[in-house]
Amino acid sequence: MGQLLDFNVHGKKALVTGAARGIGKSCALALAEAGADIALGLRDVEQDNGVAEEIRRLNRDVIPLQMDVSDTRQIFEAVEEAIEAFGQIDILVNNAGIAPSNLIEDFREEDFDLTVAVNLKGTYFTSQAVGKNMIANQSGKIINLSSQAGFIALPSESVYCMTKAGIRHLTKCFAVEWAKYNINVNAVAPTFIETPGTEPWLNDPEFKSNVLSKIQLGRIGIPQEVSSAVVFLASPAASMITGETILIDGGWTAV
């Protein structure tokens, strides 16, 4: 064996949820560039923002799936469709997430329930559905999207912070329970990244200035800096890493 393990995922089959934009889109494209065929989990299968065509141009197979992860029926049907098309799922990226903000005293129950349903319940049951296939194959890589918000408190983001902290611990639980099946379960935890979802916040000069004052590297991240870590965790190079959450926060939580 050489000293450098393989960083590509040639021939692997990956499912990425929330794949139409932002970090999810970047993960889908990065995994395709690294050699994987991609199943796109989409809240609206008719609106993939051109991701499927971009993947086809990379000469990879792609399947758009109707997959609102707040609906367990859609989760199970989408996973079954992906397995029927690809034969198996080797890599799962649980990216789908939402972040309605409000002060604790004003937070609405319907927003609470939907955030938990998408971020935590969706991650759990998508992992369960895909995990059954991985268990049968005695192999797999699951990468969850946590957040620096799972490590710190952000004003007006109490429920989002709670769910992302939950994903951190859920990652450990899945990693411990499924290690015997050769399934690696890890997470990444980004800071504010330039995406359509963060654009309204980062367009506020005062808000952006406050964020930059806390990011030690002094800049906002880009989606590729998250998707590159996801590809690493999905690759053979990360075969001895499980139960870990990698912060991609420019040093925010280091102080």
Side-chain angles (χ1 to χ4, degrees):
M1 179 183 292
Q3 296 304 304
L4 184 64
L5 291 176
D6 200 346
F7 283 80
N8 68 54
V9 291
H10 285 303
K12 300 298 184 181
K13 314 298 182 182
L15 168 60
V16 181
T17 69
R21 64 177 195 165
I23 291 172
K25 176 180 179 179
S26 184
C27 287
L29 291 172
L31 286 165
E33 288 179 2
D37 297 318
I38 309 296
L40 301 171
L42 303 166
R43 186 171 57 182
D44 182 349
V45 74
E46 300 298 328
Q47 298 184 24
D48 75 346
N49 290 323
V51 182
E53 183 55 35
E54 288 188 58
I55 291 172
R56 291 188 188 102
R57 288 200 295 267
L58 294 169
N59 295 315
R60 305 310 311 171
D61 290 336
V62 59
I63 311 167
L65 301 169
Q66 177 58 44
M67 193 177 182
D68 180 341
V69 300
S70 68
D71 182 344
T72 52
R73 178 186 59 82
Q74 289 193 30
I75 290 174
F76 300 141
E77 289 179 354
V79 169
E80 183 178 357
E81 184 178 345
I83 293 170
E84 286 179 357
F86 284 158
Q88 64 189 59
I89 299 174
D90 305 295
I91 299 162
L92 169 63
V93 181
N94 281 307
N95 167 74
I98 60 172
S101 62
N102 210 336
L103 298 174
I104 294 170
E105 61 268 29
D106 296 325
F107 211 93
R108 302 187 309 165
E109 183 178 6
E110 54 264 42
D111 289 336
F112 182 103
D113 290 344
L114 183 59
T115 306
V116 172
V118 173
N119 296 5
L120 266 180
K121 186 178 178 181
T123 295
Y124 190 102
F125 283 101
T126 302
S127 298
Q128 181 195 74
V130 173
K132 291 178 180 179
N133 181 251
M134 291 179 171
I135 288 169
N137 293 323
Q138 295 287 292
S139 178
K141 300 289 184 73
I142 297 175
I143 302 98
N144 299 322
L145 264 292
S146 180
S147 168
Q148 71 172 22
F151 290 79
I152 61 173
L154 296 175
S156 80
E157 297 289 349
S158 58
V159 180
Y160 179 73
C161 290
M162 175 190 74
T163 61
K164 291 302 182 177
I167 287 171
R168 280 180 60 205
H169 197 69
L170 195 63
T171 296
K172 290 180 179 289
C173 293
F174 274 78
V176 168
E177 194 161 331
W178 284 356
K180 63 185 176 183
Y181 304 117
N182 195 34
I183 299 172
N184 299 68
V185 187
N186 293 291
V188 293
T191 185
F192 287 90
I193 303 295
E194 292 179 359
T195 69
T198 61
E199 186 176 4
W201 298 92
L202 297 177
N203 281 343
D204 179 339
E206 184 178 354
F207 182 89
K208 184 174 182 179
S209 176
N210 182 56
V211 167
L212 290 173
S213 72
K214 296 177 180 178
I215 298 176
Q216 300 304 303
L217 292 179
R219 62 178 178 82
I220 305 299
I222 59 174
Q224 293 89 331
E225 291 173 311
V226 181
S227 60
S228 294
V230 168
V231 172
F232 163 65
L233 290 171
S235 77
S239 58
M240 195 59 179
I241 302 173
T242 198
E244 186 60 65
T245 297
I246 298 177
L247 278 155
I248 308 172
D249 70 346
W252 183 316
T253 61
V255 294

